[in-house]
Amino acid sequence: MSKAIAPHLIRLLTRLHGSNVPELEVSVTALCEALEQGHVCLPPEQVVGIRQLRACGVVGVPGDFRPLILDAAGRLYLQRYWDHENRLALNLLARCAAPASAASEPSIALADPLQRAAVQNALTRSFSVITGGPGTGKTYTATVALAQLATQFAASGNRGRIAIAAPTGKAAARIGESLKATLEKFALPPEVRALLPAEASTVHRLLGSRPGSPEFKFSASNPLPAEVVVIDEATMVDLPLMARLFDALRPTTRVILLGDKDQLASVDAGHILGDICAGLHDGTTGPMRDCITELTRNHRFGDESSIHRLSRAIRTGNEGSVRALLKVPRTDLTSLEISSAFATPLAPRVVEGFRPYLTAPTPAEALAQFAHYRILTATRTGDGSAEQLNRLTERALEAAGLIAPTDRNYAGRPILIRRNDYNLRLFNGDIGIILPDPDSGGALRAFFAGEDGTLRALAPTRLPEHETAFAMTVHKSQGSEFRRVLVVLPPRDVPILSRELLYTAVTRARENVELWWNEAALAPCLTRAVQRFSGLRERLWG
């Protein structure tokens, strides 16, 4: 929600109440600003005049149908956000309180005891969470659980549907590919393999999104017909969508959430996975604790991996280790202290990084090659932003003769979709490339990889809102991985900088990270932690 709506909301509430209440005006303005920043509510210490608000006819208590809700702790909500949070909390608590069922020992061996525990949870509980950093085997562990569940279903004659989804098309494609590759390693009989999903979808598609409507096909009154639902990259799912997802699931549906709790929260309201995992390390016990497994053994990076060591130091707030790692160049980690004047060092890097996709023989190969290298930034506009770095990259690639940007849509232009278009099946965060289409006489088309692995070609004029994507914000990169990543911090501190942002940026890389930094921006990335205000954490953990 934009804070620009605050004056209109205040006028409406004043008219409904019948008189002006100064405390209401101040608190509603602060609430709208908090919602714009991703908070679910306004915390008690920021609510002005709690006693006066409780006396307002437009402010109710939990359970009332009033425009604003003020709970017993003094948190102020818009009605719909309180309702989303309440419904989700009740749903999660009910699932965690349900008794665990019996399950046989998994037939696929796992050496990691935490992975075995995660699989056991997935087999016996109606709700489970598998969290952990990059390379800890979250997807592999979930695949083992799904194979075991499918084996049990086949043995009992249960033909129930198993569904896998992620918040974005890119994330869905990635877990679909990982699932397929992992299942190839297992010797599963045909009747078991037939029960496993051939592909993953977006959460919106899973719920049956309707063009032009905020409502979904599946809801509490029309539950999703699935026995098991796996949601990958759960950190990216905001409160309204997560609440609607759980509303649409039958009480008997088994739900498995996957994600890295230390990554950035969703762009919109809430930090759901963070709230769900909030009590893991503070000694809190209870039903929620028993449903969560945090994987800690890294199977992708060795202990000497600089990417692994850097991400761990950022996550734990070890500022000394981060600075020590940045001082000495390594094969998988380099850094450059720089505050501005990005053009000169940027040119050779982007020519090397993007040449493979720009010289690829086919659109399919170009898309595959483009996924290997990316520039990540904190901000979309301003100095050191995606907008600025995209312009500089275009100039460097044009000077190298790799592109000819005589028009907005030129051959080789990578694009990032910024708005969902359900008719075209394009979603916020999807990546495409504009290239000549050999099947259309060389006319320029925007090529996208479909969720089923096919290639889709669309006329650029049909595309929803989009932007150039040589460089992208860290938020937009969530759910993606690249072989090599160049992370560029802005020349000064901006509010969005945080430990979670830098951790997320660094962990997008599989093989190599280069970090461009300056002291003004690096310091807040090591000391500032994201905090999202909500009541969900307290509801789940007591």
Side-chain angles (χ1 to χ4, degrees):
M1 171 183 283
S2 170
K3 63 183 178 183
I5 201 173
H8 306 285
L9 181 57
I10 291 168
R11 283 196 294 271
L12 173 62
L13 294 175
T14 300
R15 189 163 64 248
L16 291 174
H17 181 60
S19 63
N20 181 53
V21 180
E23 293 84 1
L24 181 67
E25 180 175 343
V26 174
S27 292
V28 167
T29 299
L31 174 58
C32 290
E33 290 178 353
L35 291 171
E36 186 175 54
Q37 295 166 11
H39 303 293
V40 174
C41 62
L42 193 65
E45 60 271 19
Q46 295 183 25
V47 178
V48 175
I50 290 181
R51 182 175 59 83
Q52 290 85 349
L53 292 181
R54 292 197 188 280
C56 288
V58 294
V59 180
V61 297
D64 289 346
F65 189 70
R66 304 281 179 85
L68 298 171
I69 298 296
L70 192 63
D71 71 7
R75 289 179 286 253
L76 183 66
Y77 295 80
L78 285 183
Q79 164 69 37
R80 66 189 177 98
Y81 282 98
W82 180 86
D83 186 52
H84 287 318
E85 183 177 279
N86 182 60
R87 295 194 333 264
L88 179 60
L90 292 175
N91 202 319
L92 291 173
L93 289 170
R95 289 176 178 276
C96 289
S101 60
S104 58
E105 188 70 20
S107 57
I108 300 172
L110 288 166
D112 186 341
L114 288 174
Q115 288 184 329
R116 291 199 299 272
V119 170
Q120 193 69 10
N121 259 3
L123 297 179
T124 60
R125 298 183 180 277
S126 63
F127 173 69
S128 63
V129 175
I130 304 174
T131 187
T136 53
K138 298 184 293 295
T139 303
Y140 183 86
T141 304
T143 305
V144 172
L146 292 182
Q148 183 70 12
L149 285 168
T151 300
Q152 293 177 1
F153 291 169
S156 64
N158 185 339
R159 307 296 297 177
R161 177 187 173 197
I162 297 175
I164 301 177
T168 67
K170 181 65 177 178
R174 191 160 68 85
I175 190 175
E177 293 165 1
S178 297
L179 176 72
K180 182 178 179 180
T182 303
L183 288 174
E184 291 298 324
K185 302 174 183 177
F186 302 155
L188 300 175
E191 63 272 17
V192 172
R193 193 172 292 275
L195 295 177
L196 293 163
E199 62 182 51
S201 74
T202 62
V203 178
H204 285 82
R205 182 179 166 194
L206 175 69
L207 294 178
S209 59
R210 293 169 168 166
S213 171
E215 300 304 318
F216 293 108
K217 174 183 177 181
F218 298 109
S219 62
S221 59
N222 181 33
L224 181 73
E227 294 284 341
V228 181
V229 172
V230 177
I231 304 297
D232 192 27
E233 298 290 350
T235 315
M236 301 168 62
V237 184
D238 59 46
L239 172 63
L241 184 58
M242 191 71 86
R244 290 185 176 193
L245 170 67
F246 275 86
D247 284 346
L249 301 178
R250 296 176 297 194
T252 55
T253 299
R254 201 180 303 269
V255 187
I256 305 169
L257 299 185
L258 310 179
D260 185 345
K261 64 180 178 58
D262 297 309
Q263 280 189 23
L264 278 170
S266 59
V267 174
D268 295 316
H271 186 16
I272 308 307
L273 191 65
D275 287 340
I276 289 173
C277 299
L280 277 180
H281 301 297
D282 62 5
T284 307
T285 58
M288 183 59 63
R289 179 65 185 85
D290 297 336
C291 295
I292 304 168
T293 307
E294 182 176 15
L295 305 180
T296 57
R297 182 186 298 176
N298 197 289
H299 302 273
R300 180 187 306 166
F301 303 112
D303 289 340
E304 296 306 310
S305 162
S306 298
I307 296 176
H308 177 50
R309 292 165 61 197
L310 179 63
S311 64
R312 184 173 56 193
I314 295 168
R315 177 173 54 82
T316 57
N318 191 331
E319 186 173 348
S321 292
V322 172
R323 294 183 181 280
L325 285 164
L326 296 181
K327 283 182 179 179
V328 182
R330 292 166 171 82
T331 55
D332 60 347
L333 173 65
T334 56
S335 73
L336 175 65
E337 187 172 2
I338 184 173
S339 59
S340 58
F342 300 118
T344 300
L346 185 69
R349 288 162 173 82
V350 297
V351 169
E352 177 195 1
F354 292 124
R355 184 189 296 275
Y357 97 85
L358 289 167
T359 56
T362 66
E365 179 65 17
L367 280 167
Q369 288 292 335
F370 184 65
H372 292 168
Y373 181 71
R374 201 62 43 89
I375 307 168
L376 301 183
T377 74
T379 59
R380 186 167 169 262
T381 60
D383 292 338
S385 66
E387 186 178 87
Q388 181 192 50
L389 292 167
N390 276 316
R391 287 197 306 269
L392 295 175
T393 298
E394 285 179 329
R395 292 173 191 168
L397 295 176
E398 182 180 19
L402 292 170
I403 61 173
T406 55
D407 190 73
R408 181 170 185 264
N409 290 317
Y410 55 85
R413 182 189 179 212
I415 54 174
L416 171 73
I417 299 298
R418 298 195 63 232
R419 181 174 55 81
N420 294 340
D421 188 318
Y422 297 104
N423 291 319
L424 293 177
R425 291 181 291 117
L426 290 176
F427 300 96
N428 188 357
D430 285 353
I431 294 287
I433 303 176
I434 295 177
L435 292 166
D437 184 3
D439 296 330
S440 301
L444 290 180
R445 295 288 185 265
F447 288 89
F448 295 87
E451 291 180 3
D452 58 356
T454 60
L455 203 63
R456 302 174 58 210
L458 300 168
T461 54
R462 297 183 61 197
L463 297 176
E465 183 182 353
H466 59 280
E467 62 191 19
T468 305
F470 294 110
M472 61 197 301
T473 63
V474 178
H475 276 93
K476 290 293 186 183
S477 74
Q478 286 185 270
S480 299
E481 285 184 351
F482 314 99
R483 284 186 181 175
R484 299 165 55 209
V485 166
L486 170 61
V487 180
V488 180
L489 296 183
R492 63 186 63 85
D493 183 15
V494 292
I496 200 172
L497 293 177
S498 67
R499 194 186 301 168
E500 290 83 357
L501 182 136
L502 186 57
Y503 171 81
T504 303
V506 168
T507 55
R508 296 311 86 206
R510 294 194 303 270
E511 296 178 7
N512 182 273
V513 170
E514 182 171 8
L515 175 63
W516 290 6
W517 62 278
N518 61 87
E519 187 56 39
L522 182 62
C525 284
L526 302 180
T527 58
R528 183 185 295 154
V530 172
Q531 182 181 16
R532 289 280 177 92
F533 301 130
S534 81
L536 185 61
R537 180 177 307 193
E538 184 177 307
R539 292 283 298 272
L540 298 179
W541 291 90

